[in-house]
Amino acid sequence: MESVNALSLSHQFLSGLVQPGDLCIDATAGRGGDTAFLCRLVGQEGRVLAFDIQEEAVKSTRLRLEEMGLFDRAQVLLEGHEHMACYAEPGTVRAVTFNLGWLPGGDHTRFTRPETTLSALEQSLTLLCPDGVVSICIYYGRETGFAERDAVLEWLRQVDPCIASVLVSQFVNRPNCPAIAAFLLKGR
């Protein structure tokens, strides 16, 4: 059996909603895994915007997309996710993905922060089209991420249920600090 984790739950959820031709945002490009996944879902007519503040992440993502023949479907930006509203119109985005924490294999002193993440989440709500989704994988542990985890979970509790439904999935029987998967599904 394939391992079930926050990322696999996110991909399963997104696979059922994102269609060819859609516009999607990868708010935390990292090594390009979600960006490539979204590029495959949106097809040749779709578009993916990917954001990261680390040059290493942007280079990794661009290289991965080039190797997979998906580079023409994405715009990879060396920019913080708190600026995503500058790149998309309200009501036009089908999905926004977040993988919070630090760059896999990168510098653990550089990680996502509550202030910019909460700003990006607020923008995501405005950018989403009806039936659009925000997928959040909350990675935390060691000396980082607890404040962001708590801030994001509190923000999700405050989302008006008339605007979006929120689902939070936690692995309660796994050791250490298992990632949390959260989904925000915008209504019509």
Side-chain angles (χ1 to χ4, degrees), residues 32-88:
D34 279 347
T35 306
F37 176 76
L38 291 170
C39 282
R40 287 192 299 272
L41 291 178
V42 302
Q44 291 183 353
E45 291 78 39
R47 191 91 179 123
V48 176
L49 300 172
F51 295 86
D52 211 293
I53 61 167
Q54 295 185 64
E55 193 168 326
E56 179 184 353
V58 169
K59 287 179 181 177
S60 286
T61 299
R62 287 179 176 158
L63 181 61
R64 185 177 201 152
L65 295 175
E66 286 172 9
E67 289 172 349
M68 298 176 79
L70 300 170
F71 191 73
D72 61 330
R73 300 177 193 187
Q75 182 178 359
V76 185
L77 301 155
L78 181 61
E79 179 124 39
H81 52 209
E82 70 273 19
H83 300 289
M84 69 173 70
C86 297
Y87 295 88

